[in-house]
Amino acid sequence: MRTNRPNPAATCLSAVRNLGILAHVDAGKTTVTERILFATGAVHKRGEVHDGTTVTDFDAQERDRGITIFAAAVSCDWDGHRINLIDTPGHVDFADEVERSLRVLDGAVAVFDAVAGVEPQSESVWRQADRHGVPRIAFVNKLDRAGADLDTAVASIRDRLGAVPLVVQLPVGREDDFTGVIDLVRMRTLMWHDDLCTGGPVDAAHLDEATRRRRLLEETVAELHPDALEEFCAASALTEETLERALRELTLSGDAVVVLCGSAYRNRGIEPLLDAVVAYLPSPADLPPVRGVGEDAGAERAPDPAEPFAALAFKVNATERGRLTYLRIYSGTLRKGDSVRDAASGRVERVGRILRVQADRHEEREEAMAGDIVAVVGLKAPRPGATLCAPEAPVLLEPPSVADPVVSVAVEAGRGTDPGRLSAALARLAEEDPSLVVRTDPETGQTVLSGLGELHLEVAVEKIRRDRGVTVNVGRPQVSYRETVVRGVTGLVHRHVKQDGGAGQFAHVVLDVEPMAEGGFAFRSTVVGGRVPQEYARAVEAGCRDALAEGPLGGHPVTGLRVTLTDGATHSKDSSEMAFRAAGRFALREALRVSEMGLLEPVAEVTVTVPEDGVGGVLGDLAARRGQVSASTAGAGSAVITATVPLAELFGYASRLRGRTQGRGTFTTRPAPLAPVPAAVADVLLAR
């Protein structure tokens, strides 16, 4: 095991690791982060989630609820390396915080519960990391718990995530007797006593099993890595150096995932986890140059402090120190007082201060360079996802994607509260969290706040009350329905003719509309002979997209249809792109009115863990909520039930579940594809 020492190479790109901690709720992400800070000397007292004393869960709501809500950045030093770490939320309602973090991270540690293995949100964040191409190592936590089993957890990683796990440690002892691990790469034992880690040779009692596991590890690596295969065939074994190099390269390519184990709560396994972060996860120098998008598609920025400055803002937060904009710097050097350009808006602003972030504490710096994750003070306009660059060398980087809101509540200022203060608070909230959307309902005039879940909105409203001192009244949550085509129409003819003096408008289109099972919207033109030029066909597509905003059933957005432009006609003088866009809009609206339409609703996959004596009541309650049970497993005095339930039926479910199980039941959710609303339910909804 390496030892911690001062960081003389902090400015060297190869000595930096930018990583996130990813996991399901209660798998131990925050405790792992806390123990990393303790092991590296960044803090001198271990904080505990249940005591509300952790560094990264510093928000009052996080401490009250005992969960991570906001992604928090911290920094520490290990073995001459600077580690910039982001502790991400595990609840599905805050998946957008994970998305923005993954967009700027180079690697990640995925934490799994040794009893539960891969849980629903573990799978979700794993898929998010897949989309961003973020290399990962796995840490199987809580090996001290009753029922903990490393092999079972590893099997779930293989089966549910489709990953190739490379187990590099073997636990010493089980459950309460878990006291150490055997390092299969270096074939030595690491034991922990009173937070002190000691190393030594593998004892005789574990030698045969350790040798067998080492052999299995070598065989698996040889199958995946050409150089390792060559050495294995020649020598029938792998040296420590070859094995470690192959593990790193397989991790960086995503072909396999290194698996370590421990118990963060008991401070066991953290030091070798840090060694693995340094050994296997990439530095900024290992990454290719970032590429511009849009008009800057040909531009590149290499991870070099001498390159023109380019950074991505991934988080914005209002604090007592002012408006903090969190940046991942991809190239160049940023100095205090420099001017930076918002690539999207073109606005140039001056950086007042540069801060190294330690959750809610900050250390001022004179400069930051490529590979750094820092916060800056003084910028007023940039929002999460904005590209900041040198004014003389503009480039636009791809922003993180933003999830569409699925739940809405009506909010209004409480008695004695100025509505203007509420509007300002909501605007600031939406600025900090792009997954929150504030709008005014044109029919009712109500202010509507939309987000990713009931808890997401509850936290947002409470933040307004606590941080802004604004009294807020909240209406019942509403879900975002969609309309879809069940049976379409063919040969719908629409002529758009308008003559009111001067140049007129003429467009003639013929459309076919049909359902598309995979959802979304697709458009194609089969017009031949130049009857509708290509630029007019594109205008028809734009008009059709305009018409998708409101469906004929209840004014909900429309999805799940394919539109084909089959014929049309133009006028030599009066036809234009504007005329054909209007024709496409009106034609599709008319086609939807005469098509058979259906209502879709957001659905969640719910995983309920409940004592065996409460299974009957929970199943009955799920059925009453129109839930469809897909799996049910029992063991160790509890049952795990998986069901798909309409999101609209889940409001208040947490309280109901606690009541039915005397507080012993828990549940988690993750989004599922939209599902058709039963006819009887749809009639009731549309009659409102």
Side-chain angles (χ1 to χ4, degrees):
M1 183 186 64
R2 300 176 177 89
T3 57
N4 193 20
R5 60 176 184 264
N7 182 17
T11 59
C12 179
L13 282 174
S14 61
V16 176
R17 298 292 184 274
N18 294 316
L19 68 137
I21 307 293
L22 312 175
H24 184 86
V25 178
D26 290 336
K29 298 180 307 303
T30 301
T31 303
V32 168
T33 304
E34 196 69 23
R35 297 307 186 262
I36 286 175
L37 294 177
F38 181 74
T40 58
V43 298
H44 302 290
K45 181 180 180 182
R46 292 176 296 181
E48 305 293 351
V49 173
H50 54 269
D51 291 336
T53 56
T54 59
V55 172
T56 53
D57 284 355
F58 58 85
D59 186 86
Q61 289 199 72
E62 292 178 311
R63 293 183 171 179
D64 290 347
R65 298 173 188 271
I67 61 172
T68 299
I69 296 173
F70 309 107
V74 292
S75 296
C76 55
D77 296 318
W78 182 258
D79 191 39
H81 292 71
R82 162 67 63 175
I83 297 176
N84 298 316
L85 188 152
I86 297 181
D87 179 22
T88 65
H91 198 286
V92 65
D93 280 22
F94 308 106
D96 208 57
E97 287 270 339
V98 182
E99 183 73 17
R100 293 197 299 275
S101 298
L102 282 171
R103 173 62 182 82
V104 300
L105 293 173
D106 304 332
V109 174
V111 180
F112 300 94
D113 188 315
V115 178
V118 175
E119 298 173 88
Q121 191 60 13
S122 309
E123 189 171 347
S124 296
V125 297
W126 188 273
R127 302 303 177 207
Q128 285 178 283
D130 279 342
R131 289 198 303 273
H132 289 280
V134 175
R136 279 140 282 169
I137 60 177
F139 181 70
V140 178
N141 191 28
K142 302 188 178 183
L143 276 174
D144 58 320
R145 284 185 60 194
D149 186 85
L150 176 63
D151 291 337
T152 302
V154 170
S156 71
I157 293 174
R158 181 186 300 108
D159 298 339
R160 295 196 60 175
L161 302 179
V164 180
L166 301 175
V167 182
V168 298
Q169 291 179 341
L170 181 67
V172 176
R174 291 179 59 87
E175 300 176 354
D176 277 345
D177 295 327
F178 170 68
T179 54
V181 298
I182 296 173
D183 180 350
L184 298 178
V185 176
R186 298 172 182 81
M187 288 301 288
R188 59 179 180 172
T189 301
L190 300 174
M191 302 293 287
W192 282 269
H193 303 281
D194 298 326
D195 295 340
L196 180 64
C197 180
T198 57
V202 180
D203 60 23
H206 296 94
L207 185 58
D208 288 346
E209 179 65 10
T211 302
R212 185 183 72 83
R213 297 279 187 144
R214 165 68 183 235
R215 181 71 176 181
L216 181 62
L217 174 63
E218 290 178 348
E219 291 174 352
T220 306
V221 169
E223 290 175 0
L224 299 170
H225 194 278
D227 292 344
L229 177 61
E230 185 177 339
E231 181 175 311
F232 188 80
C233 291
S236 192
L238 297 179
T239 63
E240 178 184 320
E241 292 75 16
T242 298
L243 182 56
E244 192 165 51
R245 184 176 66 255
L247 290 173
R248 174 177 171 81
E249 292 176 3
L250 291 171
T251 299
L252 297 184
S253 66
D255 293 328
V257 55
V258 171
V259 180
L260 300 96
C261 60
S263 168
Y265 180 69
R266 295 198 178 184
N267 213 36
R268 295 169 186 171
I270 299 302
E271 293 90 345
L273 174 62
L274 285 164
D275 291 342
V277 164
V278 169
Y280 306 129
L281 290 181
S283 72
D286 297 316
L287 303 178
V290 291
R291 297 177 179 272
V293 296
E295 296 180 358
D296 300 320
E300 290 187 349
R301 293 291 185 270
D304 184 345
E307 285 268 313
F309 173 74
L312 195 70
F314 66 95
K315 185 179 178 68
V316 173
N317 193 18
T319 70
E320 294 178 354
R321 289 176 171 261
R323 188 179 190 268
L324 294 185
T325 304
Y326 292 76
L327 304 180
R328 161 62 196 269
I329 302 177
Y330 286 99
S331 66
T333 301
L334 178 67
R335 296 179 177 84
K336 183 178 177 180
D338 280 355
S339 294
V340 296
R341 176 192 182 101
D342 186 328
S345 67
R347 178 169 175 166
V348 177
E349 296 189 68
R350 182 177 174 274
V351 173
R353 287 181 292 164
I354 302 174
L355 306 174
R356 170 162 284 156
V357 181
Q358 198 76 349
D360 59 338
R361 299 190 296 269
H362 311 98
E363 173 190 339
E364 222 168 303
R365 301 178 59 187
E366 291 299 314
E367 65 177 24
M369 57 188 62
D372 278 340
I373 293 178
V374 296
V376 298
V377 180
L379 306 183
K380 298 179 180 178
R383 302 187 64 177
T387 300
L388 300 179
C389 56
E392 67 279 2
V395 64
L396 179 64
L397 305 180
E398 182 182 358
S401 60
V402 180
D404 294 328
V406 296
V407 181
S408 301
V409 292
V411 293
E412 64 179 15
R415 181 178 300 177
T417 298
D418 180 4
R421 290 180 59 204
L422 176 60
S423 298
L426 288 170
R428 178 61 63 87
L429 199 66
E431 181 181 308
E432 294 179 1
D433 185 351
S435 61
L436 289 170
V437 176
V438 181
R439 63 181 176 86
T440 301
D441 190 308
E443 295 183 4
T444 65
Q446 288 180 310
T447 299
V448 178
L449 178 64
S450 304
L452 302 183
E454 194 174 5
L455 180 60
H456 188 207
L457 294 180
E458 186 180 318
V459 167
V461 170
E462 186 63 22
K463 186 175 178 65
I464 293 175
R465 290 173 177 152
R466 291 191 183 195
D467 297 355
R468 311 294 176 197
V470 177
T471 304
V472 186
N473 295 330
V474 181
R476 177 178 170 78
Q478 299 293 321
V479 301
S480 299
Y481 293 94
R482 296 289 186 270
E483 298 178 24
T484 190
V485 175
V486 178
R487 185 179 295 108
V489 295
T490 58
L492 186 134
V493 179
H494 181 82
R495 288 170 62 89
H496 177 70
V497 181
K498 188 176 181 182
Q499 192 74 45
D500 53 3
Q505 293 185 24
F506 178 88
H508 177 94
V509 296
V510 182
L511 301 181
D512 289 349
V513 178
E514 58 184 324
M516 191 165 66
E518 58 270 29
F521 170 75
F523 179 90
R524 63 179 178 175
S525 173
T526 59
V527 180
V528 295
R531 291 176 59 82
V532 179
Q534 189 62 37
E535 62 269 22
Y536 290 169
R538 288 194 293 267
V540 174
E541 179 181 358
C544 290
R545 291 186 182 277
D546 294 340
L548 298 178
E550 293 185 4
L553 292 181
H556 307 291
V558 182
T559 186
L561 72 160
R562 179 181 289 106
V563 176
T564 305
L565 177 64
T566 60
D567 200 1
T570 63
H571 187 278
S572 59
K573 293 183 178 180
D574 292 344
S575 289
S576 64
E577 291 185 22
M578 182 174 65
F580 272 88
R581 180 165 185 161
R585 181 170 64 253
F586 294 131
L588 184 54
R589 285 180 181 174
E590 183 180 345
L592 294 178
R593 282 196 295 269
V594 299
S595 297
E596 181 181 342
M597 302 293 292
L599 200 63
L600 300 176
E601 62 183 345
V603 174
E605 181 183 287
V606 182
T607 303
V608 187
T609 304
V610 59
E612 286 185 340
D613 56 5
V615 170
V618 169
L619 289 174
D621 189 42
L622 288 173
R625 296 172 184 269
R626 298 193 281 126
Q628 296 183 347
V629 176
S630 57
S632 179
T633 58
S638 65
V640 178
I641 302 166
T642 303
T644 54
V645 185
L647 195 61
E649 303 290 346
L650 281 177
F651 297 132
Y653 184 61
S655 300
R656 179 66 66 89
L657 180 64
R658 285 195 295 267
R660 285 185 175 272
T661 61
Q662 290 78 49
R664 295 179 293 165
T666 60
F667 79 102
T668 59
T669 65
R670 64 173 178 173
L674 293 168
V677 178
V681 178
D683 290 342
V684 173
L685 291 172
L686 296 173
R688 292 177 180 173

